[in-house]
Every structure is written in structure tokens, then in C-alpha cells.
Amino acid sequence: QVLRKSLQRGFALSTGSFLVYEAHKLISGFAEVHASFKVEEVIEQADYLYGSGETEKLYRLLVQHKNSDDAELLWRLARAARDLAQLSSTSAEEKRQLAYEALECARKALEKNESNFAAHKWYGICLSDVGDFEGIKTKIGNAIVIKEHFQRAIELNPKDATTIHLIGIWCYSFAEMPWYQRKIAATLFATPPTSTFQEALRYFHMAEEADPNFYSKNLLFLGKTYLKLNNKKMALLWLSKAKEYPAHTEEDKQV
């Protein structure tokens, strides 16, 4: 009887444990589904705010999710932090803090999903921004890594005009690099990175072909590059387009 009672008790406990386990699985499953819906909702809201130019509201929304495991949320937070740093109302110290925060978010996004093209793009952008605070040696030293991430982003999404534009900017920067920076580059690399205005122009046109009139800065740099190549007629054409571009963002106004 003692043995029978013990066995019955053990069975009852096992059954109870099983039911608790099943209930836990059901609740966990519901939580996961609920979490995925929540992520989608946050992303939808974030994209709406980004499209509306609501930089501060966007940052406040996304910074709540800085510990997320979702690469889509993390690269958007990196972008939002960087955009906030670009505002004229942001202090110099805040710009610095936001630049490093943006880089960390982009790095985390890459860790979570190496195949996310936007994570590569924003990591490259944010790494370049941090170079502004660490000096020309660091900025040039990071140049190859930055270009590699841009190229990886294009491999993952060949139609992303912004990334193509960014490689154009990379080429333009090295084409107009002053002699003293070239000397620094020569000490950092066995074969220093170089480019030409013709190469930069090719990328700016490729970006425009991928998505016509997508970005005021691409129009501006088409004009500037044609000026560097002494083609004033084409420079005037693209600079006029840049001037007439509707100013939705702070950057558009600067352009």
C-alpha cells in the first residue's frame, strides 16, 4: 500500500509537472508571437516617423529597444542616433556621444544578422563618423573596412542607391585627398587606398540610375564632381537639380 501510494503520488507529480510544462510552452509560444508582432509594430511606427522627419521622436521610440536582439530595430536605432547627432540643435558633446552610440548599435545589428545589408551600410557610416572624433589617422585607417562594409551591403542589396552613393563619396574623398593625408595613408597601408573623380562620378550616376532623384546629396556631388572634371555645363545641370530639391530634412537644407 505504501509503495502503491508512493507510485500514485509520483504519477500525480509527474502529471502536474507535465501540465505545468505544457502550459509554460503555450505561454512562451504566445509571448514569442506577441513579441514578433510588437517588433513589427515598432518598425512600422519607426519608418513612419523617419519618413515624416520626426528625428527626436524616432530616437525616443527606438532607444527603448537598445537591448533588442532584432537587427532591424538595432540598425534603425543606429540611424536615428546618427540623425539626431546631425541636428544643429545638438551640442558638440551630445554629437560625440550619439556617434559612439550609433556605432555600437550598428555593431550589435551586425552581430545579430551578418546578412542584413542595412546593418553593413550603417556600420560603415557610423565608423566613418567616429573617425571625425579620433583624428585623421584613425579615419584613414578605417577607410578600407568602411568600403568593405559598403561593398558587402551592395552584394546583399544591389538596388540600394544610398550605399552606391556612399561608395561614390568614398571615391570622391580619396580623389581630393590633400598631400599630407596621402603621406599618412602611405604610412598606414603598404598600398594606400586611392581613387579618381571619374570613378566617383560613375558611382553617383549608378546611384541615380538605381533610384532617380532619391537624395539631394547625390545631386550635389554629381555637380561637384563635374566641376572637379572641369565640365561646367554638366555641373550646372546637377547643381540646379540639387538647389531645386524639396528640403525635407536638415541635410536637404544644407545641400
Side-chain angles (χ1 to χ4, degrees):
Q1 284 179 346
V2 171
L3 180 60
R4 189 166 62 249
K5 284 179 182 176
S6 296
L7 287 169
Q8 286 171 345
R9 184 170 173 272
F11 177 73
L13 283 171
S14 298
T15 305
S17 300
F18 175 75
L19 289 171
V20 168
Y21 171 69
E22 286 299 307
H24 172 71
K25 277 207 308 182
L26 184 65
I27 291 165
S28 298
F30 175 76
E32 283 171 17
V33 170
H34 182 69
S36 68
F37 275 115
K38 190 176 179 184
V39 167
E40 287 170 10
E41 286 167 13
V42 173
I43 288 172
E44 189 178 340
Q45 193 176 350
D47 289 348
Y48 173 79
L49 290 171
Y50 181 75
S52 305
E54 296 280 2
T55 306
E56 293 177 27
K57 285 183 184 176
L58 175 61
Y59 176 77
R60 285 199 300 271
L61 169 71
L62 291 174
V63 78
Q64 300 173 65
H65 305 279
K66 63 182 179 182
N67 296 319
S68 171
D69 288 333
D70 193 287
E72 291 291 330
L73 280 176
L74 289 167
W75 74 253
R76 281 173 171 82
L77 176 54
R79 179 181 67 182
R82 183 186 186 268
D83 285 351
L84 191 59
Q86 302 294 311
L87 295 181
S88 56
S89 57
T90 305
S91 70
E93 184 50 41
E94 285 173 325
K95 286 180 190 293
R96 180 187 178 89
Q97 184 183 332
L98 287 163
Y100 283 95
E101 182 184 332
L103 179 62
E104 179 60 17
C105 292
R107 185 188 63 77
K108 281 173 67 179
L110 271 181
E111 282 179 4
K112 300 302 178 186
N113 186 358
E114 196 280 335
S115 297
N116 188 302
F117 89 93
H120 283 280
K121 174 168 76 173
W122 287 99
Y123 183 79
I125 293 169
C126 296
L127 188 60
S128 177
D129 287 346
V130 165
D132 293 338
F133 298 100
E134 297 190 353
I136 194 67
K137 223 172 213 185
T138 301
K139 199 164 181 74
I140 295 172
N142 287 337
I144 297 295
V145 177
I146 290 165
K147 191 178 184 185
E148 284 171 355
H149 281 283
F150 289 159
Q151 287 173 327
R152 177 67 177 138
I154 289 175
E155 284 173 21
L156 293 165
N157 185 0
K159 294 182 179 179
D160 184 58
T162 311
T163 312
I164 301 169
H165 162 83
L166 289 168
I167 295 186
I169 294 286
W170 191 97
C171 294
Y172 186 97
S173 300
F174 276 96
E176 73 163 0
M177 183 179 280
W179 66 269
Y180 68 91
Q181 290 184 11
R182 291 186 192 281
K183 284 194 79 173
I184 294 170
T187 64
L188 293 172
F189 301 99
T191 308
T194 58
S195 190
T196 63
F197 291 118
Q198 285 87 349
E199 188 179 13
L201 187 69
R202 183 168 63 86
Y203 278 108
F204 294 139
H205 272 298
M206 281 170 60
E208 206 59 33
E209 286 164 18
D211 190 0
N213 214 39
F214 75 105
Y215 187 26
S216 59
K217 204 169 181 180
N218 198 62
L219 303 175
L220 174 67
F221 270 87
L222 275 161
K224 287 177 73 170
T225 310
Y226 272 116
L227 271 180
K228 293 284 187 183
L229 296 169
N230 294 315
N231 188 334
K232 290 185 180 179
K233 184 180 177 183
M234 290 302 290
L236 181 61
L237 170 71
W238 291 103
L239 291 172
S240 297
K241 288 185 178 185
K243 183 175 178 291
E244 291 158 12
Y245 194 91
H248 297 300
T249 67
E250 186 85 10
E251 193 173 46
D252 292 336
K253 291 172 189 173
Q254 291 170 4
V255 165

